[in-house]
Amino acid sequence: MNLYPLGLWLAGRRVLVVGGGTVATRRVPALLDAGADVLLVSPELTPALHGLVTAGRLAWRPRRFEPTDLDEVWLVQVAVDDPVAAAEVSAAAEPRRVFCVRADDRTEATAWTPAVTRHGPVTVAVLGGGDPQRAVRVRDAIGQRLADGSIPIGEPVSPVPTTGPAPMGQVILVGAGPGDPELITVKGRRLLAEADVVVADRLVPGLLLDELPARVELIDAAKIPYGPAAAQEEINRILVDRARTGATVVRLKGGDPYVFGRGGEELLACVDAGVPVSVVPGVTSSIAAPAVAGIPVTHRGVAHEFTVVSGHLPPGHRLSLVDWSALARLRGTLVVLMGLKNLPVIAEALLAGGRGAGTPVAVVQEATTGAQRGLTSTLSAVAEDVATAGLRPPAVVVVGDVVNALRLDAS
Ligand code: SAH
């Protein structure tokens, strides 16, 4: 006999879950995600399920299963270990014609739940012929290939054949992460694989671009031959123009698009031009660079705040928006991006503003890449130490006691 695969629309339909342990905890979120009206019957609940009940996301009957629990129910998930209790649910479900998923014994079930992976509009559901591990292996293999673009998801099919002007494309500002190509988000990677045009910054991981199929137009924003201001306008123009030809344009930016990445300007340029635009946040170097150097930007009992600041202008510069003397009075963590060139004057300003000379400072260059290097020092010595070590941009400077928070030795 063959199984008949099916996708269920559960929105607003009651699904009964019998049991409140780890199996139920794993099954309930997908039911809620599908909009099901979940009723949980169990004397006990895990803290996670309790949280969902408190938040009003599902109904709970705090007792053992009774056949009337199946009233109005479209589907039942049996998530108990006890085969006798589970068989009781099956026995009550069958005459009521309610499909019954059994976590304890799939041979007694009338419905099986597949291993699932979702990629944009595509849902892949794999049933392993009774071997859940096989299903997970196949699911992961397919999921991997969908994520890296080697199985293309393709354009959404438009219901009406279009004539006349090309349909409008879109621009997506995607954070590429700090350098390690694995530190892009799952969503960012999928959209990159679907792009027709990729406009990439200097700091985006080269390996991500390596993976792009040959049909993709790759524009290196760092090579635009104008001054910085004109180059930004040129980038904005490219984004808008390409989207207007119907292309899906991914604007790939180092770290997070909105952390000193001029993402906001590009978004506004698209909005002004009537081009659909969205943003996919990224892992920012301001948190990731300290992290991979063994520095948590906050730590219990050490720092209750972290401030991220650009050091591209020296303290006191006419155009600077940073109040360095106010930063010097903070007790928490200070993370300075683009601050290497001005490090001597930045350190001076922080010392002048009252931050202690012995305050620990770390500098992390090319964090999360194979070329990562760095040093730790103090506020009074760091400028000289960086010069001696020959550290270069891109680098993140971390000021504060968190620098030593995870160091067990006192050195
Ligand atoms: N949007 C980016 C920051 C852009 S400004 C983000 O969220 O990470 C560029 C600055 O970011 C660099 O001068 C440097 O200070 C920092 N930076 C970016 N990548 C880095 C890396 N891999 N290691 C250290 N610093 C990095």
Side-chain angles (χ1 to χ4, degrees):
M1 214 71 75
N2 262 329
L3 187 99
Y4 184 74
L6 197 64
L8 301 180
W9 292 109
L10 292 178
R13 304 211 157 95
R14 172 155 290 184
V15 175
L16 175 66
V17 177
V18 181
T22 54
V23 175
T25 306
R26 293 175 60 164
R27 292 292 169 91
V28 161
L31 293 170
L32 292 176
D33 189 55
D37 165 20
V38 176
L39 169 63
L40 208 73
V41 177
S42 172
E44 316 261 343
L45 292 188
T46 62
L49 289 171
H50 230 289
L52 291 170
V53 171
T54 312
R57 301 285 310 278
L58 48 83
W60 176 34
R61 293 183 184 154
R63 53 160 173 74
R64 289 177 57 87
F65 168 79
E66 290 169 11
T68 51
D69 293 330
L70 284 163
D71 293 351
E72 320 276 302
V73 162
W74 293 71
L75 177 73
V76 56
Q77 293 247 6
V78 183
V80 294
D81 298 332
D82 174 6
V84 178
E88 212 180 297
V89 183
S90 280
E94 187 70 19
R96 286 177 165 81
R97 302 179 187 198
V98 177
F99 279 105
C100 182
V101 181
R102 290 268 299 260
D104 64 309
D105 182 355
R106 69 186 81 87
T107 62
E108 290 296 320
T110 51
W112 288 358
T113 46
V116 171
T117 179
R118 292 173 209 264
H119 298 261
V122 173
T123 302
V124 178
V126 179
L127 293 159
D131 179 349
Q133 248 121 54
R134 179 195 290 147
V136 164
R137 273 197 313 275
V138 174
R139 187 267 321 263
D140 287 348
I142 298 171
Q144 174 87 40
R145 297 194 54 198
L146 283 165
D148 68 19
S150 55
I151 303 175
I153 289 173
E155 298 298 311
V157 183
S158 71
V160 193
T162 42
T163 52
M168 180 62 97
Q170 59 169 328
V171 172
I172 309 155
L173 308 174
V174 175
D180 179 344
E182 288 195 295
L183 286 176
I184 189 171
T185 63
V186 172
K187 186 166 189 169
R189 188 154 187 232
R190 173 174 66 78
L191 291 167
L192 189 60
E194 292 170 16
D196 303 307
V197 180
V198 174
V199 184
D201 268 347
R202 191 169 42 89
L203 281 182
V204 313
L207 278 179
L208 286 176
L209 305 177
D210 249 25
E211 290 176 2
L212 294 175
R215 62 164 182 86
V216 176
E217 182 189 9
L218 177 62
I219 297 169
D220 184 346
K223 292 215 178 109
I224 291 175
Y226 303 100
Q232 186 60 53
E233 282 191 8
E234 179 66 6
I235 292 168
N236 296 353
R237 196 187 61 74
I238 291 170
L239 298 177
V240 166
D241 284 0
R242 294 297 196 283
R244 281 185 172 149
T245 68
T248 294
V249 184
V250 164
R251 172 66 171 120
L252 194 61
K253 302 169 91 61
D256 179 273
Y258 287 168
V259 178
F260 308 130
R262 307 193 69 166
E265 290 164 63
E266 293 170 8
L267 181 115
L268 289 174
C270 292
V271 170
D272 283 348
V275 168
V277 57
S278 54
V279 64
V280 178
V283 174
T284 175
S285 65
S286 56
I287 298 171
V292 295
I295 302 164
V297 290
T298 71
H299 193 66
R300 193 166 65 90
V302 178
H304 288 177
E305 77 210 14
F306 63 99
T307 307
V308 180
V309 50
S310 167
H312 77 291
L313 294 176
H317 188 281
R318 184 172 64 83
L319 296 175
S320 175
L321 300 176
V322 180
D323 183 345
W324 289 96
S325 66
L327 293 177
R329 288 193 300 278
L330 295 177
R331 299 179 47 185
T333 308
L334 189 64
V335 181
V336 186
L337 268 56
M338 298 183 279
L340 224 49
K341 183 165 68 83
N342 292 321
L343 190 56
V345 279
I346 287 171
E348 227 169 77
L350 292 174
L351 289 167
R355 199 97 197 215
T359 306
V361 180
V363 180
V364 194
Q365 174 184 326
E366 283 168 273
T368 79
T369 74
Q372 177 176 327
R373 52 195 290 246
L375 57 77
T376 59
S377 178
T378 61
L379 200 49
S380 56
V382 68
E384 204 179 316
D385 287 351
V386 163
T388 308
L391 292 190
R392 285 190 316 268
V396 160
V397 179
V398 192
V399 180
D401 290 332
V402 289
V403 165
N404 291 331
L406 303 186
R407 259 168 247 270
L408 300 176
D409 59 327
S411 63

